[in-house]
Amino acid sequence: MDKFWNDLMKHLYTYYDGFIALLPRLAVAILTLLVFYFIAVNLRKIAKNRLRKRTDDPLMADFVSRMTGYLPIIIGILIAFKAVGLGGAATSLLAGAGVTAFIIGFAFKDIGENFLAGMVMTFQRPYRMGDTVQVAGVEGKIIGMNLRDTQIKTLDGKDVFVPNGLILRQPIYNFTIDGFLRQQFKVGLNYDADLQKAMASILETLHSVPGVLGDERPPNVVLGQVTGSIVELNIYFWINTFDATVSGQQTQSDAIKKVVDRLKQDGYVLR
């Protein structure tokens, strides 16, 4: 019985000595984790603030900043493992994570592609919330963006969710990114009409339409096709898309109505 207790105490003393020897390494590991956690918290705050200035999508900004904060924590855990003598475990953990990431990435290739495309667009910003765009055969206004897709409200009121990966691979036509959008329409006049006078009347009328830009982006009228006895006039004007009080459709409707009324008043026959 005495031999049993002596062996037990010997083992306990061995574990105690090992624990005491491990304490400095354990303290270094804990300190390392605290330092890297502090770095992760501050890095996440900095990333979130900067991303929110560059993107109109809080969800994407929060997600990317959260991913940025995870990186220092992972590095801190690996360093802490090595500090306490578990370098082999850290290597195995990295190897296992790599294999797992490969399997998951292969299984969810499309999801990963859309996620990475969303991250790329977060930094490049080919469009903002409220921009009118045309991409992948869809034309409308950007009203939302998440990790998988971008939500577009079409001109007839439909909500279309376009995968981010598809957007990144195709041309994006942004009609409002610089604040200017050109509108146009046509009118047809008789071949023998005084075209120069008609063009001057149209320009004068356009300058009186609310929402139509003047000197900054002046309207323009040019001759179009000539078909038989009909001459087409192509009419162009610009609106400011940053002005919330200006509706592109309403402005175009007002411009067409005023131009038609003016031409009729001047005695022109519209064809």
Side-chain angles (χ1 to χ4, degrees):
M1 191 67 179
D2 292 338
K3 185 177 183 303
F4 169 76
W5 286 110
N6 289 333
D7 289 341
L8 179 61
M9 294 302 296
K10 184 178 180 180
H11 282 295
L12 289 178
Y13 281 128
T14 301
Y15 292 144
Y16 175 77
D17 292 338
F19 177 73
I20 294 299
L22 184 64
L23 278 180
R25 293 185 177 186
L26 192 60
V28 171
I30 295 174
L31 181 61
T32 300
L33 288 175
L34 291 176
V35 169
F36 276 89
Y37 177 77
F38 176 78
I39 293 174
V41 171
N42 286 275
L43 188 61
R44 179 180 176 182
K45 289 181 180 178
I46 294 173
K48 180 184 291 188
N49 292 334
R50 292 195 175 184
L51 284 172
R52 286 193 169 181
K53 291 178 181 179
R54 299 189 60 179
T55 177
D56 299 320
D57 189 356
L59 175 62
M60 183 62 71
D62 290 343
F63 182 83
V64 175
S65 62
R66 193 178 299 115
M67 292 297 102
T68 304
Y70 287 155
L71 183 59
I73 293 178
I74 294 174
I75 295 175
I77 292 174
L78 295 177
I79 294 177
F81 274 12
K82 290 191 175 184
V84 295
L86 297 176
T91 304
S92 300
L93 183 63
L94 283 176
V99 173
T100 304
F102 175 79
I103 295 173
I104 294 176
F106 184 79
F108 298 96
K109 179 176 68 68
D110 292 338
I111 296 177
E113 179 186 10
N114 293 326
F115 164 71
L116 292 176
M119 291 186 63
V120 171
M121 289 189 293
T122 297
F123 292 97
Q124 290 187 346
R125 303 311 296 166
Y127 48 74
R128 302 157 306 194
M129 294 299 172
D131 279 352
T132 300
V133 301
Q134 180 180 350
V135 60
V138 180
E139 182 175 348
K141 182 176 293 187
I142 300 291
I143 62 173
M145 178 180 175
N146 56 42
L147 302 179
R148 180 187 176 276
D149 49 46
T150 296
Q151 185 178 0
I152 300 177
K153 174 78 75 174
T154 62
L155 300 180
D156 57 355
K158 297 184 179 68
D159 289 300
V160 182
F161 298 85
V162 184
N164 294 327
L166 183 62
I167 295 177
L168 197 62
R169 293 195 305 268
Q170 297 200 8
I172 303 174
Y173 300 92
N174 193 324
F175 302 110
T176 58
I177 193 169
D178 63 349
F180 299 106
L181 179 63
R182 193 183 74 173
Q183 303 275 24
Q184 68 182 73
F185 61 95
K186 299 178 181 180
V187 295
L189 301 179
N190 287 329
Y191 181 76
D192 58 354
D194 189 342
L195 299 178
Q196 194 67 31
K197 183 178 178 181
M199 294 167 70
S201 296
I202 292 173
L203 288 176
E204 182 183 346
T205 303
L206 288 175
H207 281 290
S208 67
V209 178
V212 174
L213 296 178
D215 296 336
E216 189 175 9
R217 292 287 179 99
N220 190 24
V221 182
V222 297
L223 294 176
Q225 294 182 347
V226 179
T227 306
S229 61
I230 299 175
V231 178
E232 287 186 352
L233 297 181
N234 295 325
I235 303 168
Y236 305 95
F237 63 92
W238 296 83
I239 63 173
N240 183 2
T241 60
F242 291 162
D243 188 347
T245 63
V246 176
S247 167
Q249 291 182 333
Q250 185 61 48
T251 302
Q252 185 177 40
S253 177
D254 293 342
I256 294 174
K257 183 178 184 304
K258 286 196 173 186
V259 166
V260 169
D261 291 344
R262 175 64 182 273
L263 292 175
K264 287 183 178 179
Q265 181 182 345
D266 291 347
Y268 294 99
V269 178
L270 301 181
R271 302 294 296 272

Coordinates of all heavy atoms in Angstrom, one line a residue, residues 130-176:
G130 N -29.4 53.0 -55.6 CA -30.2 54.0 -56.4 C -29.8 54.2 -57.8 O -30.5 54.9 -58.5
D131 N -28.6 53.7 -58.2 CA -28.2 53.9 -59.6 C -29.0 53.1 -60.5 O -29.5 52.0 -60.2 CB -26.7 53.4 -59.7 CG -25.7 54.5 -59.3 OD1 -26.2 55.6 -59.0 OD2 -24.5 54.2 -59.2
T132 N -29.2 53.6 -61.7 CA -30.0 52.9 -62.8 C -28.9 52.2 -63.6 O -28.1 52.8 -64.2 CB -30.8 53.9 -63.6 OG1 -31.8 54.5 -62.7 CG2 -31.6 53.1 -64.7
V133 N -29.1 50.9 -63.7 CA -28.1 50.1 -64.5 C -28.7 49.1 -65.4 O -30.0 48.8 -65.3 CB -27.2 49.3 -63.5 CG1 -26.5 50.2 -62.5 CG2 -28.0 48.2 -62.7
Q134 N -27.9 48.6 -66.3 CA -28.4 47.5 -67.2 C -27.3 46.4 -67.1 O -26.1 46.7 -67.5 CB -28.6 47.9 -68.6 CG -29.0 46.8 -69.5 CD -29.3 47.3 -70.9 OE1 -29.3 48.5 -71.2 NE2 -29.5 46.4 -71.9
V135 N -27.6 45.2 -66.7 CA -26.6 44.1 -66.6 C -27.3 42.8 -66.7 O -28.4 42.6 -66.2 CB -25.8 44.2 -65.3 CG1 -26.8 44.1 -64.1 CG2 -24.8 43.1 -65.2
A136 N -26.7 41.9 -67.5 CA -27.3 40.5 -67.7 C -28.7 40.6 -68.2 O -29.5 39.7 -67.8 CB -27.2 39.7 -66.3
G137 N -29.0 41.5 -69.1 CA -30.3 41.6 -69.6 C -31.3 42.3 -68.7 O -32.5 42.3 -69.1
V138 N -30.9 42.8 -67.6 CA -31.9 43.4 -66.6 C -31.6 44.9 -66.5 O -30.4 45.2 -66.3 CB -31.8 42.7 -65.2 CG1 -32.7 43.4 -64.3 CG2 -32.0 41.2 -65.3
E139 N -32.6 45.7 -66.6 CA -32.4 47.1 -66.5 C -33.3 47.6 -65.4 O -34.5 47.3 -65.3 CB -32.7 47.9 -67.8 CG -32.5 49.4 -67.7 CD -32.8 50.0 -69.1 OE1 -32.9 49.3 -70.1 OE2 -32.9 51.3 -69.1
G140 N -32.7 48.4 -64.5 CA -33.5 48.9 -63.4 C -32.6 49.6 -62.4 O -31.5 50.0 -62.7
K141 N -33.2 49.8 -61.2 CA -32.5 50.6 -60.1 C -32.0 49.6 -59.1 O -32.6 48.7 -58.6 CB -33.5 51.6 -59.5 CG -32.9 52.5 -58.4 CD -33.9 53.5 -57.9 CE -34.2 54.5 -59.0 NZ -35.1 55.6 -58.5
I142 N -30.7 49.9 -58.6 CA -30.1 49.1 -57.6 C -30.8 49.4 -56.3 O -30.8 50.6 -55.8 CB -28.6 49.3 -57.5 CG1 -27.9 49.0 -58.8 CG2 -28.0 48.5 -56.3 CD1 -27.9 47.5 -59.1
I143 N -31.4 48.4 -55.6 CA -32.0 48.7 -54.3 C -31.4 47.8 -53.2 O -31.8 48.0 -52.0 CB -33.5 48.5 -54.4 CG1 -33.8 47.0 -54.7 CG2 -34.2 49.4 -55.4 CD1 -35.3 46.7 -54.7
G144 N -30.5 46.9 -53.5 CA -30.0 46.1 -52.4 C -28.8 45.2 -52.9 O -28.8 44.9 -54.1
M145 N -28.0 44.8 -52.0 CA -26.9 43.9 -52.3 C -26.5 43.1 -51.1 O -26.4 43.7 -50.0 CB -25.7 44.7 -52.8 CG -24.4 43.9 -53.2 SD -23.1 44.9 -53.7 CE -21.8 43.6 -53.9
N146 N -26.4 41.8 -51.3 CA -25.9 41.0 -50.1 C -24.8 40.1 -50.6 O -24.2 40.3 -51.6 CB -27.1 40.1 -49.6 CG -27.8 39.3 -50.7 OD1 -27.1 38.7 -51.5 ND2 -29.1 39.3 -50.6
L147 N -24.5 39.0 -49.8 CA -23.3 38.2 -50.1 C -23.5 37.4 -51.3 O -22.5 37.0 -51.9 CB -23.0 37.3 -48.9 CG -22.8 38.1 -47.6 CD1 -22.5 37.1 -46.5 CD2 -21.6 39.0 -47.7
R148 N -24.7 37.1 -51.8 CA -24.9 36.2 -52.9 C -25.3 37.0 -54.2 O -24.9 36.7 -55.3 CB -26.0 35.2 -52.6 CG -26.2 34.3 -53.8 CD -27.4 33.3 -53.5 NE -27.7 32.5 -54.7 CZ -28.4 32.9 -55.7 NH1 -29.0 34.1 -55.7 NH2 -28.7 32.1 -56.7
D149 N -26.2 38.0 -54.0 CA -26.7 38.6 -55.2 C -27.0 40.1 -55.0 O -26.8 40.6 -53.9 CB -28.0 37.9 -55.7 CG -29.0 37.8 -54.5 OD1 -29.2 38.7 -53.8 OD2 -29.6 36.7 -54.3
T150 N -27.3 40.7 -56.1 CA -27.7 42.2 -56.2 C -29.2 42.3 -56.6 O -29.6 41.7 -57.5 CB -26.8 42.9 -57.1 OG1 -25.5 42.9 -56.7 CG2 -27.2 44.4 -57.2
Q151 N -29.9 43.1 -55.8 CA -31.3 43.2 -56.1 C -31.6 44.5 -56.9 O -31.1 45.6 -56.6 CB -32.1 43.4 -54.8 CG -33.6 43.4 -54.9 CD -34.4 43.5 -53.6 OE1 -33.7 43.5 -52.6 NE2 -35.7 43.6 -53.7
I152 N -32.3 44.3 -58.1 CA -32.5 45.3 -59.0 C -34.0 45.5 -59.2 O -34.8 44.5 -59.4 CB -31.9 45.0 -60.4 CG1 -30.4 44.9 -60.3 CG2 -32.3 46.1 -61.4 CD1 -29.7 44.6 -61.6
K153 N -34.5 46.7 -59.0 CA -36.0 47.0 -59.2 C -36.1 47.4 -60.7 O -35.6 48.5 -61.1 CB -36.4 48.0 -58.3 CG -37.9 48.5 -58.5 CD -38.9 47.5 -58.0 CE -39.0 47.6 -56.5 NZ -40.1 46.7 -56.0
T154 N -36.8 46.6 -61.5 CA -36.9 47.0 -62.9 C -37.9 48.2 -63.1 O -38.6 48.5 -62.1 CB -37.4 45.8 -63.7 OG1 -38.8 45.4 -63.3 CG2 -36.5 44.6 -63.6
L155 N -37.9 48.7 -64.3 CA -38.7 49.9 -64.5 C -40.2 49.6 -64.4 O -41.0 50.5 -64.2 CB -38.4 50.5 -65.9 CG -36.9 50.9 -66.1 CD1 -36.7 51.5 -67.5 CD2 -36.5 52.0 -65.1
D156 N -40.6 48.3 -64.6 CA -42.0 48.0 -64.5 C -42.3 47.4 -63.1 O -43.4 46.7 -62.9 CB -42.4 47.0 -65.6 CG -41.6 45.7 -65.6 OD1 -40.6 45.6 -64.8 OD2 -41.9 44.8 -66.4
G157 N -41.4 47.5 -62.1 CA -41.7 47.2 -60.8 C -41.3 45.8 -60.3 O -41.6 45.4 -59.2
K158 N -40.7 45.0 -61.2 CA -40.3 43.7 -60.8 C -39.0 43.7 -60.0 O -38.1 44.6 -60.2 CB -40.1 42.8 -62.0 CG -41.3 42.5 -62.8 CD -41.0 41.5 -63.9 CE -42.3 41.2 -64.7 NZ -42.7 42.4 -65.5
D159 N -38.8 42.8 -59.0 CA -37.6 42.7 -58.2 C -36.8 41.5 -58.8 O -37.3 40.4 -58.7 CB -37.8 42.5 -56.7 CG -38.4 43.7 -56.1 OD1 -37.7 44.8 -56.1 OD2 -39.5 43.7 -55.6
V160 N -35.6 41.8 -59.3 CA -34.8 40.7 -59.9 C -33.5 40.6 -59.1 O -32.8 41.6 -58.8 CB -34.4 41.1 -61.4 CG1 -33.5 40.0 -62.0 CG2 -35.6 41.3 -62.2
F161 N -33.2 39.4 -58.7 CA -32.0 39.1 -57.9 C -30.9 38.5 -58.8 O -31.0 37.3 -59.2 CB -32.3 38.2 -56.7 CG -33.3 38.8 -55.8 CD1 -34.7 38.7 -56.0 CD2 -32.9 39.5 -54.6 CE1 -35.6 39.2 -55.1 CE2 -33.8 40.0 -53.7 CZ -35.1 39.9 -54.0
V162 N -29.9 39.3 -59.2 CA -28.9 38.8 -60.1 C -27.7 38.4 -59.3 O -27.1 39.1 -58.5 CB -28.5 40.0 -61.1 CG1 -27.5 39.5 -62.1 CG2 -29.7 40.5 -61.7
P163 N -27.2 37.1 -59.5 CA -26.0 36.7 -58.8 C -24.8 37.6 -59.0 O -24.6 38.0 -60.2 CB -25.7 35.3 -59.4 CG -27.1 34.8 -59.9 CD -27.8 36.1 -60.4
N164 N -24.0 37.8 -58.0 CA -22.9 38.7 -58.1 C -21.8 38.2 -59.1 O -21.2 39.0 -59.8 CB -22.2 38.9 -56.7 CG -23.1 39.7 -55.7 OD1 -23.9 40.5 -56.1 ND2 -23.1 39.3 -54.5
G165 N -21.7 36.9 -59.1 CA -20.7 36.4 -60.1 C -21.1 36.7 -61.5 O -20.2 36.9 -62.3
L166 N -22.4 36.6 -61.8 CA -22.8 36.9 -63.2 C -22.6 38.4 -63.5 O -22.2 38.7 -64.6 CB -24.3 36.6 -63.3 CG -24.9 36.7 -64.7 CD1 -24.3 35.9 -65.7 CD2 -26.4 36.4 -64.6
I167 N -22.8 39.3 -62.5 CA -22.6 40.7 -62.8 C -21.1 41.0 -63.0 O -20.8 41.8 -63.9 CB -23.1 41.5 -61.5 CG1 -24.6 41.3 -61.4 CG2 -22.7 43.0 -61.7 CD1 -25.2 42.0 -60.2
L168 N -20.2 40.3 -62.3 CA -18.8 40.6 -62.4 C -18.3 40.1 -63.8 O -17.3 40.7 -64.3 CB -18.0 39.9 -61.3 CG -16.6 40.3 -61.1 CD1 -16.6 41.8 -60.6 CD2 -15.9 39.5 -60.0
R169 N -18.9 39.1 -64.4 CA -18.4 38.6 -65.7 C -19.0 39.3 -66.9 O -18.5 39.1 -68.0 CB -18.8 37.1 -65.8 CG -18.1 36.2 -64.8 CD -18.2 34.7 -65.2 NE -19.6 34.3 -65.4 CZ -20.3 33.8 -64.4 NH1 -19.8 33.6 -63.2 NH2 -21.6 33.4 -64.6
Q170 N -20.0 40.2 -66.7 CA -20.6 40.8 -67.8 C -20.5 42.3 -67.8 O -20.3 42.9 -66.7 CB -22.1 40.4 -67.9 CG -22.3 38.9 -68.1 CD -23.7 38.6 -68.6 OE1 -24.5 39.5 -68.9 NE2 -24.1 37.3 -68.6
P171 N -20.6 43.0 -68.9 CA -20.6 44.5 -68.9 C -21.7 45.1 -68.1 O -22.8 44.6 -68.1 CB -20.7 44.8 -70.4 CG -20.3 43.6 -71.2 CD -20.7 42.4 -70.3
I172 N -21.4 46.1 -67.4 CA -22.3 46.8 -66.6 C -22.5 48.2 -67.1 O -21.6 49.0 -67.2 CB -21.9 46.9 -65.1 CG1 -21.6 45.5 -64.5 CG2 -22.9 47.7 -64.2 CD1 -21.0 45.6 -63.1
Y173 N -23.8 48.5 -67.5 CA -24.1 49.8 -68.0 C -24.7 50.6 -66.9 O -25.8 50.4 -66.5 CB -25.1 49.8 -69.2 CG -24.5 49.0 -70.4 CD1 -24.8 47.6 -70.5 CD2 -23.7 49.6 -71.4 CE1 -24.3 46.9 -71.6 CE2 -23.2 48.9 -72.4 CZ -23.5 47.6 -72.5 OH -23.0 46.8 -73.6
N174 N -24.0 51.6 -66.4 CA -24.5 52.5 -65.3 C -24.9 53.8 -65.9 O -24.0 54.6 -66.3 CB -23.4 52.6 -64.2 CG -24.0 53.2 -62.9 OD1 -24.8 54.1 -63.0 ND2 -23.5 52.8 -61.8
F175 N -26.2 54.1 -65.9 CA -26.7 55.3 -66.5 C -26.6 56.5 -65.6 O -26.8 57.7 -66.1 CB -28.1 55.1 -66.9 CG -28.3 53.9 -67.9 CD1 -29.0 52.8 -67.5 CD2 -27.8 54.0 -69.2 CE1 -29.1 51.7 -68.3 CE2 -28.0 52.9 -70.0 CZ -28.6 51.8 -69.6
T176 N -26.3 56.4 -64.3 CA -26.5 57.5 -63.4 C -25.3 57.7 -62.5 O -25.4 58.4 -61.5 CB -27.8 57.3 -62.5 OG1 -27.6 56.0 -61.8 CG2 -29.0 57.3 -63.4

